[in-house]
Amino acid sequence: MKRGMRKGLTSYGDEAFSLYLRRAFIKAMGYSDDALARPIIGITNTSSDYNACHGNVPKLIEAISRGVMLAGGLPMAFPTISIHESFAHPTSMFLRNLMAIDTEEMVRAQPMDAVVLIGGCDKTVPAQLMAAASANIPALMVVTGPMMTGFYQGERLGACTDCRRLWGMYRAGELSDEAIDEVTGRLAPTTGTCMVMGTASTMACMTEALGMMLPGGATIPAVHADRLRFAERSGERAVAMVEEDLKPSDIMTESGFQNALVTLQAIGGSTNALIHITAVARRLGIELSLDAFDDIGRKVPVLVDLKPSGDHYMEHLHEAGGLNAVLRELTPHLSLDAPTVSGATLGENIATGEIVAGQTVVRTPDAPIQGQGGLAVLRGNLAPRGALIKHSAATPELLTHTGRAVVFDSLADLAQRIDDPDLDVAPDDVLVLRNAGPKGAPGMPEAGYIPIPKKLATAGVKDMVRLSDARMSGTAFGTIVLHITPESYGGGPLSLVRTGDTITLDTPARTLTLNVSEEELEQRRSTWEPPPPHPGAERGYLKLYLDSVEQADRGCDFDFM
Ligand code: FES
């Protein structure tokens, strides 16, 4: 097998010439022949002035490079797309597949024997795992790590659960303009990813459980020196993985995905993670069943006391022993012989983890945060291919509820009417948002956290049953049904709901029912008109996306991947 600079030569029709030219150009960077003869470890540079979650990437590259060189390899950093949640229009999910393609092709196109992928912000880790699965050269993940918490008026704050809570208070008139301005400077006090159990933290934990990250890497804060030492170790390990030819397809097996799904339920993780892990698994020909995932949730309790399901933040989980402390409690549910990038099995990794006596962040199965896992899969005539609810972050009394539907046809319709004082809405109603799915918005934005109508919020209403084909930030809370599949844009049942219909959510029974007869629905279906095409849909990446994106139950990957 060709290694190093000889890998993947540029096609000039003369291999010796291709190598000669490649070496000529790389020598312009000052490399010696000795350096160029070493195993090459690619390192993805996802640093960007737009991405504070990746603010420590330059330091991580330095540390990974040090590790690679200590082990006798040659580190080579290269840029890829970087995506930050708040700097991606129309939404980061629209770009996840583009980042996956970019990363896969750059890993494949350039000569490298292994790659260290530096991700962090929500969509970056899934995109990189998808890329690693498809490129299938030795690969391991390093995440940027969670940011530290902030303070306002003596209260500890975390992005972005508290972003949403405080914004809700501002909308309800409980915070002044000056106060919300002050808070804006306190919510994200350091670089790193959101430090609650949002999508970034969830994906970091699942990646470690999946075996694609060295043990202990999910929770080290972004600004800790340990994060750099971990990066150095990862660089060293990447060189060894070249010799072992340990590839993503060896690590990401059905057992690994099972371990990741058990972890998702036990940490009260983000709903988004189920879409992402489904996409990663499908790249390797592994189908994850929604119903099997729901079964895991009925057996595996929520053990981690982190916001939004609990009270603490990622730095506290790290102090409590990190993900390893969670995995240790989960051993009856895990495949302990699953391989990992450390070269040891998951069970062997767990056995070497730190035990922190007296910690209270990670509970035991006898005293869980919640008796069942954080996420439940719903089905019914409104969601024949499934929907998801994070019941660990919902209002318990609303988990079984029948209410009158108040329908918003699109994000624009929602923005226009939700705060209208004349909106006909009551606290017991069910807010319905449609045309916000993978093709509908497009990009399946995190709009499922439908705001409580202002007139109800100011009257003290904190939560209502809300449902949509959109996603929701993993940092959000509320009784919110998401990912209704198939989406309304293509004529799914959600497109047939009318204001005034009643909808029943029965979370214990895992059902979501539109209380309208099949005859009436058939009648509505026969007169349904598809929404107008999106502006700009005739060309470019938007066309590729709209032509090819799959539904949530298939991970929203492109159908040709
Ligand atoms: Fe990047 Fe939250 S915005 S992790």
Side-chain angles (χ1 to χ4, degrees), residues 482-498:
L482 302 153
H483 311 181
I484 289 179
T485 307
E487 65 174 308
S488 58
Y489 189 75
L494 189 61
S495 67
L496 307 178
V497 183
R498 293 182 181 165

Side-chain angles (χ1 to χ4, degrees), residues 51-54 83-86 120-123 144 147 159-160 192-195 198-201 473 475:
N51 196 344
C53 301
H54 290 211
I83 305 171
H84 185 279
E85 287 300 293
S86 298
C121 198
D122 294 12
K123 304 304 173 294
T144 54
M147 65 175 93
C160 242
T193 50
C194 293
M195 68 304 239
T199 304
S201 304
S473 164
T475 64

Side-chain angles (χ1 to χ4, degrees), residues 53-344:
C53 301
H54 290 211
N56 60 346
V57 166
K59 296 293 284 178
L60 290 174
I61 291 175
E62 200 181 304
I64 294 165
S65 299
R66 188 163 60 243
V68 169
M69 288 192 281
L70 284 171
L74 173 65
M76 296 203 70
F78 61 97
T80 73
I81 294 175
S82 185
I83 305 171
H84 185 279
E85 287 300 293
S86 298
F87 287 87
H89 177 79
T91 171
S92 59
M93 187 63 175
F94 176 64
L95 299 170
R96 183 203 64 181
N97 294 351
L98 185 62
M99 181 171 180
I101 289 175
D102 173 30
T103 307
E104 175 188 343
E105 295 307 326
M106 286 298 99
V107 166
R108 210 197 299 280
Q110 302 171 127
M112 63 190 82
D113 300 303
V115 61
V116 182
L117 302 148
I118 308 177
C121 198
D122 294 12
K123 304 304 173 294
T124 60
V125 171
Q128 292 173 328
L129 287 173
M130 290 159 75
S134 294
N136 206 29
I137 67 164
L140 78 172
M141 290 287 320
V142 170
V143 291
T144 54
M147 65 175 93
M148 305 300 284
T149 49
F151 285 88
Y152 176 68
Q153 304 259 310
E155 186 196 358
R156 197 187 277 270
L157 296 183
C160 242
T161 303
D162 295 313
C163 316
R164 292 171 205 288
R165 181 177 60 81
L166 294 166
W167 188 251
M169 288 172 68
Y170 175 62
R171 280 174 54 82
E174 294 165 27
L175 272 187
S176 66
D177 288 347
E178 295 74 35
I180 200 77
D181 258 0
E182 188 73 22
V183 160
T184 309
R186 306 286 182 91
L187 285 162
T190 73
T191 58
T193 50
C194 293
M195 68 304 239
V196 297
M197 194 48 83
T199 304
S201 304
T202 304
M203 285 309 303
C205 290
M206 287 171 74
T207 303
E208 187 176 329
L210 179 61
M212 284 297 288
M213 189 192 298
L214 290 180
T219 57
I220 307 166
V223 294
H224 272 203
D226 273 345
R227 169 71 45 209
L228 298 177
R229 277 186 282 273
F230 176 82
E232 183 184 298
R233 215 163 54 242
S234 300
E236 275 189 272
R237 179 64 197 146
V239 178
M241 286 172 68
V242 175
E243 278 313 306
E244 295 163 16
D245 196 26
L246 188 55
K247 296 192 290 293
S249 58
D250 302 321
I251 306 291
M252 293 195 271
T253 60
E254 293 206 17
S255 308
F257 285 109
Q258 175 80 5
N259 291 339
L261 291 175
V262 167
T263 302
L264 172 57
Q265 291 284 18
I267 60 180
S270 160
T271 46
N272 287 311
L274 187 59
I275 295 181
H276 297 320
I277 203 73
T278 299
V280 178
R282 295 189 82 246
R283 289 289 181 107
L284 291 159
I286 296 172
E287 294 289 345
L288 304 181
S289 147
L290 280 178
D291 297 321
F293 175 65
D294 190 72
D295 279 347
I296 293 172
R298 289 180 186 272
K299 295 181 206 128
V300 174
V302 176
L303 296 179
V304 182
D305 189 3
L306 240 71
K307 289 197 174 196
S309 301
D311 283 331
H312 296 286
Y313 297 90
M314 284 297 276
E315 63 198 73
H316 305 122
L317 176 56
H318 184 59
E319 286 163 16
L323 182 70
N324 195 68
V326 186
L327 296 176
R328 195 180 307 113
E329 299 297 341
L330 291 173
T331 49
H333 305 285
L334 297 172
S335 297
L336 297 173
D337 55 0
T340 76
V341 290
S342 73

